Amino acid sequence: MSTLTPTSSISFILNGRDVQLSGVDPNTTLNEWIRSQHGLAGTKRMCGEGGCGCCVVSALRKDPTSGKDATIAINSCLCPLYSIDGWQITTVEGIGNSRDGYHPIQERITQYNGSQCGYCTPGMVMNMYSLLKESPTPTKQHIEDNFDGNICRCTGYRPILDAMKSFAVDADPKKGGKCIDIEDLSVKKCSMPCAKLCANVTHTSSSTLWFRPSKVADIFTVFSKYPDKRIKLIAGDTGRGVFKGEALPDVIVDLKGIASLAAIEVGAKSLLVGATVPINTLIATLEAHKDSSPTSFPHLAEHLKKVANVAVRNIGSWAGNLMLTHDHENFPSDIFTILEAVHARVTVASSPTETSTHSLTDFLSVDLKNKVITTLMIPLSTANSVVRTFKVMPSHQNAHAYVNAGFSWSLNPSTHTIEGSPNPSFVFGGLQAHAVHATKTEAYMVGKSLTDPATLQGAVKVLQEELVAIPMPTEGSESFRLSLAYGLFYKFYLASIPDHISDRVKSAAVPFTRPVSQSYQSYDSVKSEYPVTEPMTKLTAKLQASGEAQYVADMIEPDGLAAAFVLSTVGNAKIGKIDASQALQMPGVVQFISAADIPGTNAYIQPPLALFEAQAVFATGSVQYAGEALGIIVADTQENADRAAKKVNVQYSSQSKPILTIADAIKANSIYDYPGEGNVVVVGDANAAISSSAHSITGEVSCGTQYHFHMETQSCVCIPEDDSYTVYSSTQWIEACQHAVATVLGIADNRVYVAVKRIGGAYGAKITRSHQIAAACAVAAYHTRRPVKIHLDIDTNMKMVGKRFPYYATYKAGFTDDGVINGIMMDVYTNSGCHNNDQSGDVAMSYIDNAYHIPNWHVTPKAVKTNNCANAACRSPGTLPAIFIMETVAQHVGEALGIPPETVKQKNLYQQGQITPNGTTLKYCNIREMWSKLYQSADVSNRTDQITTFNQQNRWRKRGLSVVPLKWGVVWNGSGPHTVMISIYATDGTVAITHGGIEIGQGINTKTAQVAARELGIPIDLICILPTNSMTSPNSNATGGSITCEYNCQGIIDACKILNNRIDPVKQKMTNPTWKEVVARCQSTGVDLSAKAFVNMKSDDHFAYSSYGVNCTEVEVDVLTGEVEILRSDILFDCGQSINPEIDIGQVEGAYVMGLGYWLTEKFVYDEDSGEALTHNTWEYKPPECKDIPIDFRVELLKNAPNPVGVLSSKACGEPPMCMSCSALF
């Protein structure tokens, strides 16, 4: 085929089978195509940016540089389908499944309890599979480094890393470590149903043309043939994940087939690298030839490992990265910064025979229309060269920089003066639209001696005078970024003269090297109670690891359609005109639906299910916040619907500046008048107690919002039946979802059947907010009379759906000389957003005391109204900020007295029998004993002394240690009801259960099965948990509050009691019968083998009981950059007698790490004028990744501590541990 003929077909191997496709839209991604195939839903979709890793698949292709076969992990969401022609693609189903047997990686991640909700698990598995295919004997360090692009919100990463590191060559065999057998890495032909459907599939074509040239000259032929077209040159095309909103190109030219652009040559003076060479190949080249340039190549290679993540670097090229910064302002390219610092140059071809070479700075101003980058030249460093590069970013991995910098100069070793050839090079990214040189400082340094103290002072003065930072709302303040730039220069300066600086400042010159993480878990169990208290993995963990576990987002309905929301782009404005005409002309679009098309009532939640007021599915008349839903576009595919939704034109009028913060709302007196104002906490006389105290202080505390970051975004499938609707929703609350659909359709609730099998993470976001998605989906199904699916893209999910409530508190506290707090007066404000239905201020009032007995309180809650989306429950809603506020007060008291805050905390801890501000008597309080136990096990006293010594010896790195206690009250009253149903099948004795809870990763299905097995006296493998649904579990309350497991376990006990009362008389008449024989006899004698239990637990006190915990966290901070390393975290948590300690350990770790993200890496930023969210994707919003967790992570469940009040002596554990994570701040 001529290289100038547009490609119209491709062939590749998928899971061992040949696939040929023709007529495919060149804009189709590999992920989009895979997920359109039945039986291949294991490859997930979430961010579409290469930022989360749930879409990772394995690709075997010839390395364009070496010509050898190589296996790599790739993000299928970024990979154009046409680009894999001739490749072998393996998905998670292709390496193992329930039919063909599971792969060792799938087995191992299950064994280590590394899968909770399971949505991220296939991507984790395939990332590890790709690594082992290429490196069968990796080290533990290699493995941890390899997981820099896979996000897990559930587990806290520890069990995943432990599972994967068990394959390491240096793994501990005593802990299950074992290298993989080479034979286990071979791909078997998949026998799953997809194999019959994945060949000869034709997709709708578009006008985009795809070319695969074989030589550089062909590129210019394309240029000349299509002079007026939008032409895009690609190698990996990973940049599409950063700039998703750009117009689709008319012509795509895939450069991977041009051998000269993949060439690498090491010369006497430089390294030449072709334009299509992937970043990881460049890293490997720099490391392989480090002896050729020992003062620069190792530093460049280490820095490049911080660019994006492994899967992106596997196919993303250095030239593509430079093009992103060439074509877009404010793209802080690390590659540009560090290569410019070492005087690298790029060659650009303007014709087959004409080229020009440019410095990278000059390259930015080159008009690249109809031109192509061909080569990178990196000069080899001299013996006198000193090179250092730096990157300061929000998290330790997979993040772009706040500020990056590259420095190089030639240093005379005898005089320590800076030589003028080559010129010093100081390059800073993140200050301006593009990286800039500090040219005046560079000139100043020539001829200066680094050992002269005046040199450093003069250089910093010049640097401060010449560097300027422009506003970048998502990247920190200008002063912050400038301080980083000064600090990085200082680090480089010191690193250049390590033998001439004092030991105390060397910490600035030597980078922190994170060791391989380690962990420790401890708990007890009672074997006589097994399978209850038995540590066991989730029943469906292997199905999750193999990709066979189906989520709503994975469902494919025959003749189904898809829908996407149209969002407002401003807040606090009137809606003028909504024009969907352009969107309706786009490929595959069926209909635009707005409020006027709703056959029933435009509300997805309203009283009595809503606390105060109805909330509309689609806005009418005005918009309250940027991101509010205006309607939906219905199309043939989700991708077409997503694209078309962005083409709906909306005009606004009368826009006012939005109120976005609590401070804005207080100033505008935008405060809700709601019943919660009556929940003022008044105990004793706080004012008098403070006035009579020896000391008093005033202060304020604030904490922001947090995106839930559930890996499965909000999703729903609605199927119109003959006289009803079937709804599959990723909801935590079936009853409210059912009613929402009935409300918008104007039908009775009994005409709506809702079922939920599992959810890919939730954390509260899917309690009420999922109903908006279900309601919109139902309206689309009503109009089209076809099944409709909505699977939100991450941008829509983050803009439209509510997040954690921000808080702000002002307080006055009085206390004694030794830190006993006598009284607190406090006003607590919470930002509810544009509606107050999910307000958490009242909840916070019950937890404001945390673990401290303070005799006098006066606390007033206030909820403010802003032009944010109505905020929603988020893991430990109200409790997390309340406990943080109280911990901050204790911290301030200690600082005021000049004593350790831990002394203040210990003196004020509750004792058994004392009464909380909400009137609960603490009958079983063990917080003081736990405090003492943790202090001893964590060696707090000795470590505190060691930290003092470390801080005295190091000026620029400091360590700190904080201990935070926890009292987390569990509320039964109003948290139910829940309904459980158990059916026993007489033919084989198997048992099916449905309950009122939703499996969201917390292990409720496994725990209820354990309880049923114990109560019925049967093996757990006879039990199957069926989807929760509105028929068998009507009117069940939402899954939340960390108590749904115990509610439904109690329901299991009650239902089993009913069954046993029926079965036992029959059994007693038989001689040593088997279970199967007993139930068969029951059936033959007319015994009902199904039972239903309705549970609505009550307690006399506000709290039925409390979960207690203590956490000690030690951190190290780089004073010059603010970068934080969590050295060690010790958690002691009272889980009662855990029903399943393996699952509960995972809950503790996951909650704690989610909290670390809230305090340390996650931030949400809005445009001050429009109110639009600016941090609405994985590019800007950074949950913790695997190197953000504690290096030494120790978790113990308190032993021999049965809960006298709890179900089967257990306690809640899903949310409480998150509240101790604030210890990392203190």
Side-chain angles (χ1 to χ4, degrees):
M1 181 180 70
S2 169
T3 56
L4 297 183
T5 301
T7 298
S8 59
S9 63
I10 59 172
S11 62
F12 56 94
I13 296 174
L14 177 69
N15 295 338
R17 295 180 178 270
D18 293 331
V19 179
Q20 294 84 36
L21 301 176
S22 60
V24 182
D25 182 347
N27 296 297
T28 303
T29 66
L30 175 59
N31 181 264
E32 181 182 347
W33 181 83
I34 287 175
R35 288 183 60 78
S36 72
Q37 307 302 302
H38 286 275
L40 287 181
T43 303
K44 304 303 183 189
R45 170 185 179 266
M46 197 278 273
C47 70
E49 301 162 349
C52 71
C54 70
C55 71
V56 167
V57 298
S58 184
L60 173 66
R61 85 307 185 230
K62 284 196 177 298
D63 183 272
T65 299
S66 68
K68 299 178 181 179
D69 285 346
T71 299
I72 56 174
I74 62 173
N75 294 114
S76 61
C77 71
L78 299 181
C79 180
L81 183 59
Y82 268 25
S83 72
I84 66 166
D85 188 50
W87 291 14
Q88 295 184 38
I89 302 297
T90 304
T91 70
V92 69
E93 297 90 350
I95 68 170
N97 51 68
S98 58
R99 293 190 182 188
D100 305 321
Y102 294 105
H103 191 277
I105 301 174
Q106 295 165 334
E107 295 270 10
R108 204 76 63 90
I109 199 169
T110 298
Q111 173 189 343
Y112 280 76
N113 193 35
S115 182
Q116 288 188 20
C117 87
Y119 201 81
C120 75
T121 309
M124 298 283 183
V125 168
M126 293 313 296
N127 188 49
M128 188 64 190
Y129 174 81
S130 302
L131 172 63
L132 291 178
K133 282 285 287 185
E134 203 63 22
S135 304
T137 56
T139 64
K140 290 187 290 186
Q141 183 68 65
H142 189 183
I143 291 170
E144 284 204 355
D145 292 344
N146 200 65
F147 278 85
D148 60 354
N150 292 77
I151 293 175
C152 175
R153 190 58 134 173
C154 292
T155 65
Y157 297 100
R158 191 279 308 166
I160 297 173
L161 292 177
D162 280 359
M164 301 312 182
K165 287 186 294 188
S166 71
F167 289 103
V169 68
D170 52 348
D172 185 353
K174 295 180 181 178
K175 296 183 178 181
K178 180 183 178 183
C179 289
I180 197 165
D181 193 312
I182 297 296
E183 293 182 359
D184 290 328
L185 291 172
S186 60
V187 179
K188 306 169 186 176
K189 283 192 176 181
C190 178
S191 65
M192 300 298 285
C194 65
K196 301 172 183 175
L197 300 174
C198 63
N200 301 315
V201 177
T202 301
H203 283 232
T204 303
S205 182
S206 73
S207 59
T208 301
L209 302 176
W210 183 285
F211 289 91
R212 290 198 201 101
S214 60
K215 53 184 183 295
V216 172
D218 293 339
I219 304 172
F220 294 95
T221 302
V222 175
F223 287 158
S224 61
K225 190 172 182 178
Y226 302 98
D228 300 321
K229 299 292 185 180
R230 292 191 304 274
I231 299 175
K232 184 177 184 180
L233 308 182
I234 70 166
D237 201 23
T238 55
R240 68 190 295 160
V242 181
F243 301 102
K244 296 187 293 186
E246 294 186 338
L248 297 177
D250 300 311
V251 178
I252 299 174
V253 183
D254 185 353
L255 306 179
K256 290 195 295 295
I258 302 176
S260 64
L261 297 185
I264 296 176
E265 180 183 346
V266 181
K269 294 184 178 181
S270 64
L271 170 66
L272 300 178
V273 186
T276 62
V277 170
I279 298 169
N280 268 346
T281 303
L282 176 57
I283 293 171
T285 302
L286 293 169
E287 291 180 332
H289 297 282
K290 61 183 180 181
D291 292 341
S292 299
S293 187
T295 60
S296 65
F297 282 9
H299 298 289
L300 297 178
E302 283 304 308
H303 192 118
L304 289 172
K305 292 176 183 178
K306 299 178 182 178
V307 174
N309 56 63
V310 166
V312 170
R313 296 193 302 268
N314 278 336
I315 59 172
S317 68
W318 64 264
N321 184 280
L322 292 186
M323 282 303 302
L324 292 179
T325 198
H326 179 280
D327 292 346
H328 303 89
E329 293 187 345
N330 300 331
F331 177 75
S333 168
D334 289 284
I335 293 178
F336 181 97
T337 298
I338 66 175
L339 292 180
E340 173 68 1
V342 295
H343 308 286
R345 300 176 69 82
V346 292
T347 298
V348 176
S350 53
S351 76
T353 58
E354 296 180 358
T355 63
S356 57
T357 302
H358 311 271
S359 69
L360 269 65
T361 296
D362 292 341
F363 161 79
L364 292 176
S365 59
V366 175
D367 182 0
L368 291 178
K369 182 175 175 58
N370 294 341
K371 297 176 183 177
V372 59
I373 302 172
T374 61
T375 313
L376 169 70
M377 186 279 291
I378 306 176
L380 304 185
S381 61
T382 65
N384 291 351
S385 295
V386 181
V387 175
R388 292 292 187 275
T389 67
F390 301 92
K391 181 176 186 177
V392 182
M393 49 187 175
S395 59
H396 288 87
Q397 298 167 292
N398 199 24
H400 64 276
Y402 288 132
V403 170
N404 53 33
F407 304 96
S408 68
W409 55 29
S410 181
L411 178 66
N412 186 300
S414 57
T415 63
H416 307 296
T417 57
I418 303 303
E419 300 172 338
S421 180
N423 290 327
S425 182
F426 312 150
V427 184
F428 297 92
L431 302 180
Q432 300 283 323
H434 297 288
V436 295
H437 273 273
T439 54
K440 293 180 181 177
T441 311
E442 291 169 351
Y444 171 84
M445 289 303 303
V446 175
K448 299 292 194 304
S449 171
L450 298 187
T451 56
D452 183 351
T455 300
L456 177 59
Q457 296 172 2
V460 171
K461 184 175 184 298
V462 175
L463 193 66
Q464 291 174 335
E465 291 172 351
E466 73 169 319
L467 288 185
V468 177
I470 63 173
M472 295 180 183
T474 62
E475 309 307 326
S477 67
E478 295 94 302
S479 60
F480 166 65
R481 286 178 283 123
L482 284 171
S483 70
L484 290 179
Y486 307 148
L488 297 182
F489 174 77
Y490 176 67
K491 283 173 173 284
F492 170 62
Y493 190 106
L494 296 186
S496 299
I497 49 172
D499 297 331
H500 296 271
I501 57 177
S502 68
D503 290 339
R504 189 164 179 262
V505 301
K506 281 186 177 179
S507 56
V510 180
F512 181 89
T513 301
R514 180 186 171 97
V516 173
S517 64
Q518 60 184 14
S519 63
Y520 169 82
Q521 304 84 44
S522 178
Y523 51 81
D524 64 356
S525 62
V526 183
K527 290 188 177 181
S528 62
E529 297 292 326
Y530 280 10
V532 168
T533 82
E534 182 178 1
M536 62 172 63
T537 55
K538 286 185 60 178
L539 297 180
T540 58
K542 288 184 180 179
L543 292 177
Q544 293 170 187
S546 65
E548 296 169 88
Q550 187 183 62
Y551 302 80
V552 175
D554 300 330
M555 296 179 68
I556 300 176
E557 290 298 318
D559 197 37
L561 298 170
F565 281 90
V566 177
L567 304 183
S568 66
T569 55
V570 301
N572 204 11
K574 292 183 178 180
I575 302 171
K577 179 182 179 182
I578 302 177
D579 181 7
S581 57
Q582 184 180 356
L584 292 171
Q585 299 302 311
M586 295 184 68
V589 174
V590 175
Q591 189 174 356
F592 171 67
I593 292 173
S594 65
D597 301 303
I598 294 177
T601 302
N602 182 19
Y604 69 87
I605 191 165
Q606 55 187 338
L609 297 180
L611 287 178
F612 304 119
E613 58 184 335
Q615 290 181 229
V617 180
F618 303 128
T620 58
S622 62
V623 290
Q624 299 184 75
Y625 70 95
E628 190 167 2
L630 303 175
I632 54 173
I633 286 288
V634 184
D636 57 347
T637 68
Q638 189 67 63
E639 289 71 22
N640 282 339
D642 290 340
R643 292 186 189 113
K646 295 175 175 59
K647 296 298 182 181
V648 176
N649 182 43
V650 183
Q651 297 177 0
Y652 307 93
S653 63
S654 304
Q655 182 188 359
S656 300
K657 188 175 179 64
I659 297 172
L660 298 175
T661 67
I662 294 175
D664 293 340
I666 294 174
K667 185 177 180 180
N669 197 31
S670 181
I671 299 177
Y672 285 103
D673 180 16
Y674 74 103
E677 294 285 3
N679 286 354
V680 176
V681 177
V682 178
V683 178
D685 188 339
N687 187 46
I690 295 170
S691 299
S692 61
S693 294
H695 306 273
S696 68
I697 57 171
T698 59
E700 56 185 45
V701 189
S702 64
C703 50
T705 191
Q706 182 180 33
Y707 173 57
H708 303 80
F709 218 100
H710 37 80
M711 295 297 289
E712 180 194 27
T713 55
Q714 301 275 3
S715 306
C716 183
V717 173
C718 185
I719 304 170
E721 312 288 357
D722 51 4
D723 64 347
S724 61
Y725 289 81
T726 297
V727 178
Y728 301 100
S729 171
S730 61
T731 184
Q732 295 174 249
W733 192 6
I734 280 183
E735 178 196 17
C737 180
Q738 178 189 36
H739 188 65
V741 170
T743 298
V744 295
L745 297 180
I747 61 177
D749 285 11
N750 66 356
R751 298 290 184 178
V752 180
Y753 173 78
V754 182
V756 183
K757 192 168 190 176
R758 63 176 61 85
I759 294 179
Y763 318 107
K766 299 175 182 179
I767 294 178
T768 60
R769 305 307 153 175
S770 59
H771 313 327
Q772 182 177 16
I773 287 77
C777 196
V779 174
Y782 168 86
H783 282 284
T784 61
R785 300 305 302 164
R786 293 167 65 180
V788 176
K789 172 182 172 181
I790 295 179
H791 181 194
L792 296 191
D793 61 55
I794 190 173
D795 302 83
T796 302
N797 209 117
M798 295 187 76
K799 291 178 180 179
M800 186 178 86
V801 181
K803 289 160 277 293
R804 183 182 296 281
F805 288 74
Y807 273 74
Y808 168 73
T810 59
Y811 74 87
K812 185 174 184 179
F815 45 93
T816 66
D817 290 334
D818 57 356
V820 175
I821 301 175
N822 297 320
I824 293 178
M825 298 180 68
M826 187 181 294
D827 288 330
V828 179
Y829 297 84
T830 180
N831 179 351
S832 293
C834 61
H835 291 281
N836 196 32
N837 282 324
D838 287 10
Q839 61 86 18
S840 65
D842 292 349
V843 176
M845 293 302 97
S846 292
Y847 295 83
I848 198 68
D849 56 328
N850 190 17
Y852 307 116
H853 179 256
I854 297 168
N856 299 281
W857 289 93
H858 193 288
V859 187
T860 304
K862 299 177 185 291
V864 303
K865 183 174 184 178
T866 62
N867 296 115
N868 304 118
C869 51
N871 283 315
C874 183
R875 197 172 199 165
S876 210
T879 59
L880 177 70
I883 289 168
F884 170 65
I885 290 169
M886 185 59 236
E887 286 301 305
T888 304
V889 173
Q891 189 82 13
H892 290 174
V893 169
E895 292 171 358
L897 291 173
I899 62 176
E902 284 71 25
T903 300
V904 175
K905 296 176 184 183
Q906 192 275 334
K907 286 182 177 296
N908 289 280
L909 289 173
Y910 273 111
Q911 300 182 55
Q912 190 156 304
Q914 290 180 325
I915 300 173
T916 70
N918 65 25
T920 299
T921 300
L922 301 179
K923 302 174 184 176
Y924 307 102
C925 177
N926 57 3
I927 187 61
R928 285 180 173 264
E929 293 79 7
M930 291 182 65
W931 177 278
S932 299
K933 179 176 174 60
L934 188 281
Y935 239 77
Q936 181 177 3
S937 64
D939 197 20
V940 173
S941 296
N942 286 333
R943 288 167 60 196
T944 300
D945 292 340
Q946 293 167 8
I947 287 170
T948 300
T949 301
F950 179 90
N951 291 341
Q952 291 171 347
Q953 295 174 347
N954 293 274
R955 181 176 181 182
W956 299 116
R957 295 194 74 88
K958 300 295 182 181
R959 291 180 179 175
L961 180 148
S962 174
V963 181
V964 168
L966 170 72
K967 175 184 66 65
W968 204 92
V970 173
V971 179
W972 283 353
N973 300 331
S975 299
H978 287 275
T979 302
V980 168
M981 183 172 181
I982 302 178
S983 297
I984 303 173
Y985 298 99
T987 53
D988 65 357
T990 56
V991 177
I993 296 173
T994 62
H995 54 71
I998 306 295
E999 176 59 71
I1000 55 179
Q1002 84 282 43
I1004 188 172
N1005 286 351
T1006 303
K1007 287 185 176 181
T1008 51
Q1010 288 175 269
V1011 174
R1014 174 185 181 270
E1015 296 297 311
L1016 295 175
I1018 61 175
I1020 196 169
D1021 57 11
L1022 291 181
I1023 298 174
C1024 174
I1025 309 296
L1026 298 178
T1028 305
N1029 63 82
S1030 56
M1031 176 61 191
T1032 59
S1033 300
N1035 312 313
S1036 287
N1037 208 336
T1039 292
S1042 297
I1043 61 166
T1044 310
C1045 278
E1046 60 189 89
Y1047 248 92
N1048 285 278
C1049 285
Q1050 183 61 54
I1052 294 290
I1053 294 170
D1054 294 346
C1056 287
K1057 183 177 181 179
I1058 295 171
L1059 289 168
N1060 285 332
N1061 286 339
R1062 297 173 187 166
I1063 293 170
D1064 285 348
V1066 176
K1067 182 179 179 181
Q1068 289 172 6
K1069 297 177 182 179
M1070 303 172 70
T1071 303
N1072 297 323
T1074 65
W1075 168 257
K1076 185 176 179 179
E1077 290 170 342
V1078 170
V1079 297
R1081 180 69 60 85
C1082 289
Q1083 169 72 3
S1084 66
T1085 57
V1087 173
D1088 184 359
L1089 290 175
S1090 66
K1092 176 182 173 183
F1094 178 83
V1095 183
N1096 195 17
M1097 297 191 296
K1098 303 289 184 181
S1099 63
D1100 294 334
D1101 286 330
H1102 181 78
F1103 292 147
Y1105 65 85
S1106 292
S1107 293
Y1108 296 96
V1110 188
N1111 169 229
C1112 173
T1113 302
E1114 181 179 354
V1115 305
E1116 183 170 318
V1117 180
D1118 186 317
V1119 177
L1120 293 169
T1121 65
E1123 295 168 294
V1124 175
E1125 294 285 350
I1126 303 177
L1127 303 180
R1128 176 174 164 181
S1129 185
D1130 296 72
I1131 298 174
L1132 176 62
F1133 185 70
D1134 177 8
C1135 204
Q1137 186 62 65
S1138 170
I1139 292 174
N1140 186 324
E1142 185 170 319
I1143 285 177
D1144 288 346
I1145 283 280
Q1147 289 293 289
V1148 172
E1149 292 171 334
Y1152 179 77
V1153 172
M1154 184 172 176
L1156 293 181
Y1158 178 52
W1159 302 118
L1160 300 178
T1161 67
E1162 302 175 48
K1163 65 175 182 177
F1164 219 88
V1165 180
Y1166 297 92
D1167 182 273
E1168 294 181 355
D1169 296 320
S1170 69
E1172 189 169 22
L1174 300 178
T1175 48
H1176 53 81
N1177 49 40
T1178 60
W1179 176 252
E1180 296 290 359
Y1181 192 85
K1182 295 299 175 185
E1185 301 220 16
C1186 70
K1187 288 192 178 180
D1188 294 307
I1189 70 172
I1191 296 169
D1192 188 349
F1193 199 178
R1194 309 183 186 198
V1195 177
E1196 179 180 356
L1197 301 184
L1198 186 65
K1199 299 180 179 69
N1200 192 27
N1203 178 11
V1205 180
V1207 176
L1208 295 174
S1209 302
S1210 67
K1211 285 190 176 185
C1213 66
E1215 294 171 287
M1218 188 175 186
C1219 300
M1220 297 185 286
S1221 60
C1222 61
S1223 61
L1225 283 183
F1226 299 128

